[in-house]
């Protein structure tokens, strides 16, 4: 209502954020959070054994991780913020007001993290004496801690969006931080980062060592054991999270009932966890016992499974928070729960700063309908691309010309049948204008169905 | 002179009418820290960020230029390489230190900042891919310096040129943001990045910024190469410390001289609406200090090799004061330019809050906030909202018709309730019905009664018509 609307009708606005976020998390978890501790372990191991080969290997891998984390990794993190500012300014603006101090501390930790990353990489060769080398390992350990803390702080915000917990009553940062889904989520993401780092570093070993290099099988064995060691924690974390979600959903007044789609996805999560853990366990066991037995492409299997797992996890997380963008406070289209009755009584257009019309009438139905669509639907839906409303309506009403009254009824009641949808924040006239606009976008029915149906033709004979 | 500027402010105030300037509502949640604290922090935090941005942009440009000079004079190629090594470090600091001011600006200018983002949305989306590209290219440039030589030198220069060009372009996107947010009265004219370039004074500010990057990088390099810890014998044996110091002092001196042309250009192209006595005081005060800096630089340049560099810290301190003064002046301009608009937003936000509270109060006390909200639930209304989208009266559409349902459940309304709480799937031609347990037994019973009633009425004439 209060910001000029940026809308991508083909890609969809959500997709813009999703692409940025998924790239970020796929780099953040295995590389920033998981790989730095593992690389530090390799370095420390080399120092302890007095074998420079370990150090050389760790340095080659850290170069790859350094380049990726300080470019794509760091920037996609900022990118989530920038794209959200564009697509859902009401949400990010409100989250910033709730989490200011969390964000501020996270910033300080992030500065330290990036400073430590650069110190760790750029001083590697210069810190050559045993004393300096120990210091260097200490830098690596500190860096690992800071990388984890940045993730730990941000995850609080993700949990908050799904279940705001006691915050809706007391509005305190503490309640917001320790929302019911925070710790279970962190308990899953932490070991996930560690075991995927194992897979990533393992994969790197093939590229930074020669086939007959004696360090290769020894490094693979160490990394395989690391990967294996984290697996039980992945299972425990995932189980805790999986158990917490429905409880948290039931507490959510508007979504008292788990939708079928949710139950399906929820069940799927456990299956993907099972497959991923099994595949990783088998491969890591072979790696630990016979490091030379596995060719590099076999690693792609657990890798793809792990990406699928995380993708599914994030998707379900996004699904769970619906219809809200901030649970119990603000709907995904930016309408605050408390302001909804005003819009349902007066309409949303009189309060929409940038709308071309201030009132929906039969005469301006198309223009008003378009404005209402942009204000109330366009944050999630397009008219022609990803998640487009026209296809959705075709699923319900088919390709015959839609009935105006049925559409109006559907618009006003869809939150009752589809609990992930926010209630329509407009009055009767606006629902009608929106229906008119949607009907104007309906694709003509295919030629076959406009012709008389065969049965009707037969009957006419 | 001051009074002339002030006289223009009421004229602008008069322009703030709902038609001319969009006045949105602010967010509902209060600011997490007092506004004065945000105002106190915004300039220093921003300057810390822009310091490293300047070094990154200026560094990339100077690397490229010196690499080209190095084609004829090889010692400049090595100099370029040493400058380039600082760029990849400064760029990381520029990014992380950008978060703080971004946080503050999001809070302090919520409406203005996000509006400017949305108005130039496509350019805003391009930022992240562009920055990632230039960072990766900067690493490529850095780590191929020894290998891309001889016949491959052209390729290396091309990458360096691309880095410099991208680093020159990206700040323009940010500049357009901070410029667009200042002029809500022009928002209705903005139709994307290119039209946003035309409002306010983007280009003079841009040249001012690029010149500042070059000047600051010059000053930084005179320190960086002149300091004792720099292994000059190993890395740049063809140069002496004094020579490099003087070289970069000169560079800073002449670029800063040019700023005395760019600066007034920025000032006199600024729209009048934010110019106040306070703004003038800070900017002209800082400019006066700038002349002192130039004097000190001049004396350093003409200093002997032994003594050159001993005025560096006084110069750096005064230079920081100049920048701080300019930044603060800039901030006061923004505050003054936005003051009427911010006041209008505050009024409108408060107005909406009272409408909202009034509506909630009327609902709670049942005083009729509108029929839709207070009327007792009826089977008819509930059916229309939850069921009618799929269940028509006579014609089977997306689901069985009420007539059909009537034949199945005529004497068993409870059966409808049970089914609706956890529907199964009987007919292959229809989709799966979602469960409706969340409506509650009472509402479901109302709906069931209504459905059977309508179904019976619709079925009756059909029955009667049968022979």
């Amino acid at each position: 209502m209060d910001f000029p609307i940026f809308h991508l009708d083909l890609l969809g606005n959500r997709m813009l954020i999703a692409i940025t976020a998924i790239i970020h998390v796929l780099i953040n978890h295995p590389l920033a959070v998981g790989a730095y501790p593992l690389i530090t372990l390799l370095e420390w191991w080399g120092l302890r054994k007095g074998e420079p080969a370990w150090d050389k290997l760790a340095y080659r891998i850290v170069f790859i991780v350094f380049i990726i984390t300080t470019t794509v990794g760091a920037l996609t993190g900022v990118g989530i913020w920038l794209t959200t500012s564009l697509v859902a300014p009401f949400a990010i603006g409100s989250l910033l007001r709730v989490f200011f101090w969390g964000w501020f501390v996270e910033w300080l930790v992030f500065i330290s993290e990036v400073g430590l990353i650069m110190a760790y990489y750029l001083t590697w060769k210069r810190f050559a004496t045993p004393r300096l080398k120990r210091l260097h390992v200490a830098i690596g350990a500190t860096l690992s801690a800071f990388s984890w803390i940045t993730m730990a702080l941000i995850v609080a915000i993700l949990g908050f969006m799904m279940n705001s917990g006691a915050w809706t009553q007391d509005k305190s940062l503490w309640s917001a931080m320790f929302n019911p889904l925070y710790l279970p989520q962190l308990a899953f993401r932490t070991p996930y980062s560690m075991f995927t780092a194992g897979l990533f570093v393992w994969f790197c070993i093939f590229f930074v060592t020669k086939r007959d290099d004696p360090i290769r099988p020894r490094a693979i064995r160490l990394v395989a054991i690391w990967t294996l060691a984290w697996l039980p924690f992945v299972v425990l974390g995932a189980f805790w999270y999986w158990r917490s979600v429905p409880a948290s959903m039931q507490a959510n007044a508007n979504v008292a009932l788990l939708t079928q789609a949710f139950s399906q996805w929820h069940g799927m999560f456990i299956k993907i966890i099972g497959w991923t853990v099994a595949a990783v366990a088998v491969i890591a066991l072979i790696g630990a016992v016979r490091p030379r037995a596995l060719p590099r492409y076999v690693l792609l299997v657990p890798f793809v499974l792990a990406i699928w797992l995380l993708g599914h996890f994030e998707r379900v997380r996004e699904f769970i928070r619906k219809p809200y963008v901030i649970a119990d406070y603000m709907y995904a289209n930016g309408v605050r729960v408390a302001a909804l009755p005003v819009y349902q009584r007066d309409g949303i257009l009189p309060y929409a700063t940038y709308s071309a019309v201030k009132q929906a009438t039969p005469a301006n139905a198309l223009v008003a309908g378009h404005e209402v669509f942009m204000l109330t639907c366009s944050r999630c839906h397009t008219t022609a691309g990803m998640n487009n409303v026209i296809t959705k309506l075709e699923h319900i009403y088919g390709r015959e010309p839609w009935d105006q009254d049925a559409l109006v009824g559907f618009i006003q009641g869809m939150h009752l049948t589809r609990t992930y949808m926010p209630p329509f924040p407009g009055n009767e006239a606006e629902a009608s204008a929106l229906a008119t606009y949607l009907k104007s976008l309906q694709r003509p029915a295919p030629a076959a169905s406009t012709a008389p149906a065969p049965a009707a033709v037969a009957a006419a004979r | 002179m001051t009074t002339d500027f002030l006289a223009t402010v009421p004229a602008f105030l008069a322009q703030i009418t709902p038609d001319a300037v969009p006045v949105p509502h602010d967010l509902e949640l209060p600011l997490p820290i007092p506004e004065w604290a945000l105002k106190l922090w915004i300039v220093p935090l921003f300057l810390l960020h822009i310091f490293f941005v300047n070094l990154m942009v200026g560094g990339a440009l100077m690397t490229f230029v010196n690499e080209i000079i190095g084609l004829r004079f090889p010692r400049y190629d090595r100099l370029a390489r040493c400058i380039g090594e600082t760029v990849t470090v400064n760029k990381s600091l520029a990014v992380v230190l950008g978060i703080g001011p971004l946080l503050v600006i999001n809070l302090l200018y919520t409406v203005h900042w996000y509006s400017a983002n949305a108005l130039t949305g496509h350019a805003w989306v391009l930022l992240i891919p562009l920055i990632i590209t230039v960072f990766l290219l900067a690493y490529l440039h850095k780590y191929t310096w020894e290998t891309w030589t001889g016949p491959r030198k052209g390729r290396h220069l091309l990458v360096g040129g691309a880095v410099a060009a991208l680093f020159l372009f990206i700040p323009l996107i940010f500049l357009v943001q901070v410029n667009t947010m200042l002029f809500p009265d022009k928002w209705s004219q903005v139709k994307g990045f290119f039209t946003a370039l035309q409002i306010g004074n983007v280009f003079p500010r841009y040249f001012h910024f690029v010149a500042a990057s070059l000047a600051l990088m010059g000053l930084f390099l005179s320190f960086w190469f002149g300091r004792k810890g720099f292994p000059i014998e190993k890395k740049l044996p063809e140069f002496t410390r004094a020579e490099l110091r003087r070289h970069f002092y000169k560079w800073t001196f002449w670029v800063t001289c040019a700023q005395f042309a760019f600066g007034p250009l920025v000032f006199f192209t600024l729209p009048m609406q934010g110019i106040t006595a306070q703004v003038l005081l800070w900017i002209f005060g800082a400019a006066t200090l700038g002349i002192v800096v130039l004097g000190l630089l001049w004396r350093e340049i003409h200093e002997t090799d032994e003594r050159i560099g001993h005025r560096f810290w006084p110069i750096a301190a005064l230079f920081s004061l100049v920048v701080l003064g300019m930044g603060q002046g800039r901030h006061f301009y923004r505050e003054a330019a936005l003051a009427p608009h911010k006041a209008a937003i505050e009024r409108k936000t408060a107005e909406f809050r009272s409408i909202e509270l009034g509506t909630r109060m009327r609902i709670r006390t049942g005083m009729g906030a509108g029929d839709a909200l207070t009327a007792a639930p009826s089977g008819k209304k509930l059916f229309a909202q939850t069921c009618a989208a799929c269940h028509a009266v006579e014609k089977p559409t997306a689901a069985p018709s009420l007539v059909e349902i009537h034949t199945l459940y005529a004497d068993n309304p409870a059966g409808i309730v049970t089914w609706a709480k956890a529907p199964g799937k009987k007919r292959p031609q229809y989709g799966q019905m979602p469960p409706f347990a969340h409506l509650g037994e009472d509402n479901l019973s109302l709906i069931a009664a209504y459905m059977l009633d309508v179904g019976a009425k619709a079925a009756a004439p059909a029955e009667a018509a049968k022979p």
Side-chain angles (χ1 to χ4, degrees), chain B residues 192-212:
Chain B
F193 178 71
F194 293 103
T195 48
L197 284 174
Q198 293 154 23
I199 65 169
N201 62 344
V202 177
F203 285 105
R205 276 186 83 176
Y206 177 67
F207 294 125
H208 199 43
F209 159 81
V210 174

Side-chain angles (χ1 to χ4, degrees), chain B residues 130-461:
Chain B
L130 283 178
I131 299 176
I132 290 175
T133 309
V134 70
F135 282 10
L136 287 171
L137 286 176
Y139 279 129
L140 183 69
H141 191 242
K142 180 177 176 174
Y143 291 113
T144 53
W145 209 295
E146 275 176 353
T147 44
W148 288 6
T149 50
R152 289 180 176 168
K153 190 63 175 171
R155 195 197 296 174
H156 193 253
L157 269 169
L158 203 67
V159 173
V163 170
L166 281 169
F167 270 137
L168 269 181
F169 175 68
I170 291 165
L172 200 55
I173 299 180
F174 282 104
L175 205 64
V176 160
Q177 295 298 313
V178 291
N179 184 67
T180 305
M181 67 176 260
L182 282 183
F183 308 111
D185 53 318
K186 301 278 186 346
W187 287 352
S188 55
Q189 298 164 25
V190 176
K191 301 276 176 278
F193 178 71
F194 293 103
T195 48
L197 284 174
Q198 293 154 23
I199 65 169
N201 62 344
V202 177
F203 285 105
R205 276 186 83 176
Y206 177 67
F207 294 125
H208 199 43
F209 159 81
V210 174
S213 299
L214 292 173
L216 199 65
M217 191 60 190
L219 196 61
F220 170 75
L221 289 178
S222 77
F223 157 78
W224 188 249
F225 294 137
R227 79 201 150 100
K228 289 218 169 62
F230 183 74
I232 191 160
E233 301 78 10
K234 203 175 117 200
K235 289 194 142 182
L236 295 170
E238 299 104 322
F239 291 94
T240 68
R241 281 206 167 84
E243 189 185 4
L244 284 175
R245 271 209 162 123
R246 189 167 292 117
H247 175 78
F248 287 109
Y249 271 142
K250 274 188 194 165
W251 180 262
T252 306
F253 179 82
W254 289 113
V255 179
T256 308
C257 282
Q259 288 291 52
F260 278 87
F262 288 128
L265 186 68
V266 173
F267 186 78
F268 289 110
T269 51
L270 263 180
M272 293 297 189
Q273 61 217 41
I275 295 177
T276 62
Q278 207 179 15
V279 173
L280 292 176
L281 194 74
W282 280 91
I283 290 190
F284 283 104
T288 314
L289 265 187
I291 296 174
V292 179
V293 171
L294 276 182
L296 284 176
L297 278 170
W298 183 255
R299 290 179 63 187
E300 277 284 87
I301 292 166
H302 294 89
E303 193 59 88
T304 59
D305 280 4
E306 285 71 40
R307 287 180 52 81
I308 190 167
H310 77 281
R311 291 185 193 87
F312 174 79
W313 290 110
I315 291 176
L318 279 177
F319 206 97
S320 310
L321 282 181
V322 172
V323 176
L324 195 66
M326 293 282 175
Q328 203 62 48
R330 178 82 217 163
H331 172 69
F332 288 129
Y333 175 85
R334 180 170 50 231
E335 278 296 304
L338 290 180
H341 194 240
K342 278 190 124 177
I345 289 175
E346 208 171 308
R347 274 197 304 278
K348 201 166 167 184
T349 309
E351 204 177 282
F352 185 78
R353 207 69 68 238
S354 69
I355 296 174
E356 188 186 316
L357 285 174
T359 313
R360 280 218 299 272
M361 200 63 87
R362 280 204 292 277
I363 294 173
R364 207 168 296 156
T365 53
M367 281 170 63
D371 297 339
L373 301 166
T374 48
S378 72
K380 182 178 178 182
K381 209 183 94 195
L382 285 166
F383 177 81
Q385 284 182 332
T386 48
C387 322
C390 295
H391 295 280
V393 177
E394 283 174 60
K395 200 175 144 207
T397 49
S401 69
L402 295 192
V403 173
E404 190 182 343
I405 290 170
H406 176 255
T407 59
L408 292 171
Y409 289 99
D411 308 316
N412 181 20
I416 299 183
V417 175
T418 311
W419 174 269
K421 281 199 286 192
K425 189 163 174 359
K426 283 193 224 162
R427 297 172 179 73
Q429 74 269 37
Y430 303 132
Q432 168 68 50
M433 174 171 159
F436 287 89
H438 56 286
L439 291 180
E441 291 258 345
D442 295 346
N443 287 332
L444 287 174
S445 304
L446 284 173
I447 294 174
Y450 173 78
M451 284 169 97
L452 293 177
D453 184 43
V454 174
K457 280 178 191 150

Side-chain angles (χ1 to χ4, degrees), chain A residues 58-381:
Chain A
Y59 182 69
R60 284 183 177 156
I61 296 170
V62 85
F63 175 73
I64 302 171
V65 176
F66 169 75
I67 297 286
I68 299 176
T69 49
T70 59
T71 56
V72 193
L75 265 303
T76 44
V78 182
I80 298 174
W81 188 345
L82 299 193
T83 47
T84 313
S85 303
L86 202 53
V87 172
F90 42 81
I92 188 90
S94 301
L95 286 170
L96 280 167
R97 289 176 186 213
V98 176
F99 278 101
F100 173 75
W101 289 109
W103 234 291
F104 185 77
V105 172
E106 202 268 347
W107 177 47
L108 300 182
V109 178
F110 182 42
I111 296 175
S112 321
E113 181 194 353
V114 170
L116 286 164
I117 288 179
M118 287 189 298
Y120 188 59
Y121 176 67
L122 296 172
T123 60
W124 194 297
K125 288 274 169 75
R126 231 179 299 155
F127 284 15
T129 65
R131 222 186 97 241
L132 284 174
K133 196 68 199 160
R134 276 197 296 278
L135 176 67
H136 193 260
V137 172
I139 295 176
T142 319
L143 157 64
S144 307
F146 276 77
S147 300
W148 182 82
I149 296 171
T150 53
M151 178 186 77
L153 287 168
I154 290 293
V155 166
I157 301 170
L158 296 179
F160 176 74
M161 292 168 75
M162 297 155 75
N163 184 341
S164 48
W167 175 82
T168 33
Q169 270 82 49
D170 65 16
K171 296 272 191 284
S172 83
L173 172 67
W174 205 247
S175 308
M177 282 282 298
F178 289 94
N179 57 75
L181 285 179
Y182 174 42
L183 292 177
Q185 235 195 104
L186 192 60
F188 170 69
R189 286 183 194 266
T190 304
Y192 177 89
S193 304
M194 300 303 166
F195 99 83
T196 47
L199 295 175
F200 178 79
V201 169
W202 189 344
F203 202 60
C204 286
I205 290 172
F206 286 107
F207 292 91
V208 298
T209 58
K210 294 217 168 62
R211 182 179 290 276
D212 50 1
D213 191 335
I215 198 71
R216 187 192 267 196
R218 296 174 65 201
I220 288 179
R221 176 168 292 148
L222 185 69
V223 169
I225 292 172
W226 161 281
T227 310
L228 216 49
W230 284 102
L231 278 188
F233 298 101
V234 175
V235 174
L236 286 177
F239 187 65
W240 186 14
Y241 175 76
W242 186 78
R243 283 280 299 271
S244 314
V245 166
S248 162
M249 299 290 298
Q250 267 144 4
N252 206 340
N254 250 35
V255 195
L257 189 94
L258 304 182
T259 65
Q260 280 156 334
F262 170 72
S263 324
Q264 225 170 11
W265 282 357
H266 199 55
M268 189 77 174
F269 181 63
I270 277 295
K271 272 186 214 147
I272 303 176
I273 285 276
W275 283 111
T276 312
V277 169
V280 175
V282 169
I283 286 169
L285 258 175
I286 299 174
V289 180
R290 301 196 53 196
R292 284 188 186 279
L294 292 170
R296 68 183 82 170
Y297 55 81
V298 173
L299 283 176
L300 292 174
V301 176
F303 222 64
V304 169
L305 279 170
I307 291 175
W308 185 28
L309 171 63
L310 191 66
H312 187 80
F313 172 80
E314 302 291 0
R315 215 178 139 205
V316 174
R317 183 179 60 70
E318 281 294 294
F319 181 81
I320 288 168
R321 70 170 170 74
K322 290 178 192 173
Y324 301 106
V325 68
I326 299 173
D328 297 321
Y329 174 73
M330 185 183 271
Y331 293 111
N333 52 11
V335 170
R336 272 182 304 112
V337 176
L340 180 73
V342 181
Y343 301 135
Q344 290 188 330
R345 184 190 58 189
D346 304 344
I348 199 167
L349 294 177
Y351 301 107
T353 312
Y354 297 93
S355 171
V357 291
K358 296 287 165 199
Q359 204 102 48
T361 62
N364 71 10
L366 275 181
V367 182
H370 172 72
E371 292 289 357
V372 172
F373 176 84
M374 293 304 278
L375 285 163
T376 65
C377 322
S378 74
R379 299 305 83 200
C380 305
H381 292 286

